[in-house]
Amino acid sequence: MSKPRTYLCRCPQCGGERQVMGVCRLCGSADVPEAITETLIFDLELGAPLVEEAIAKFEQYLGVASNAGFKTMLVIHGYGSSGKGGEIRKILRDNLEHNFYSDRIVDYYPGEDLKEGNESYTQLLKRRPSLQKQKKQFKNSNAGELLSI
């Protein structure tokens, strides 16, 4: 039995629930959807993309997430085959640290900082209480990056 699909957006044309990317499955609208949750979880590892493909896909999702009204985006990038940090993680983090996305990202938090007892994590949860739902993801050693958009 397959798990029912969870939609994170609403179509501005017909009001139906829809995916973040693509057209509305109900009315075919290609208009930017409206977020119905605060956080978008985006797995960059899905499909084992090359670094360039992963970064391009991230940038595409970031643009739509920002326009749709998501407040935060959890980007899962993995640690690569070495377990110490793959190329996707390195390039994404370098881009974040050098403010490549400053027009869409207010702040970002490395996954390693999203642990119980960490001051920035505690302050973040106070500002975004809805992130409590994602606590199990933060306990994972592969938490990725959390972006405030």
Side-chain angles (χ1 to χ4, degrees):
M1 178 182 280
S2 65
K3 183 178 170 183
R5 183 177 291 267
T6 301
Y7 294 98
L8 302 175
C9 295
R10 180 165 286 112
C11 175
Q13 293 297 317
C14 71
E17 292 182 342
R18 63 173 279 193
Q19 295 177 337
V20 176
M21 300 296 285
V23 299
C24 176
R25 64 188 166 74
L26 300 173
C27 72
S29 171
D31 290 351
V32 174
E34 300 165 351
I36 56 176
T37 182
E38 281 195 357
T39 303
L40 172 64
I41 299 176
F42 178 59
D43 190 346
L44 268 176
E45 296 179 300
L46 201 59
L50 298 173
V51 175
E52 297 81 17
E53 295 169 333
I55 297 301
K57 193 171 183 182
F58 162 74
E59 290 172 352
Q60 183 182 22
Y61 268 79
L62 175 61
V64 173
S66 177
N67 291 335
F70 285 96
K71 302 296 182 203
T72 53
M73 185 173 173
L74 179 59
V75 182
I76 301 167
H77 51 59
Y79 280 104
S81 57
S82 69
K84 296 179 182 173
E87 283 300 308
I88 294 172
R89 175 185 173 270
K90 289 177 187 173
I91 290 175
L92 178 62
R93 195 165 284 180
D94 187 62
N95 288 353
L96 291 167
E97 288 173 359
H98 289 93
N99 297 314
F100 281 24
Y101 313 111
S102 62
D103 59 328
R104 289 163 282 173
I105 297 176
V106 176
D107 205 357
Y108 87 97
Y109 304 86
E112 298 83 33
D113 292 348
L114 301 173
K115 305 287 182 216
E116 292 285 342
N118 181 297
E119 185 61 29
S120 63
Y121 176 75
T122 303
Q123 293 302 317
L124 179 63
L125 288 178
K126 286 180 183 176
R127 285 194 316 276
R128 299 263 185 249
S130 66
L131 288 174
Q132 293 284 347
K133 298 175 192 171
Q134 311 304 329
K135 282 179 92 169
K136 71 177 183 176
Q137 181 66 41
F138 302 143
K139 290 180 182 179
N140 182 344
S141 61
N142 184 12
E145 314 295 323
L146 184 69
L147 313 176
S148 183
I149 54 180

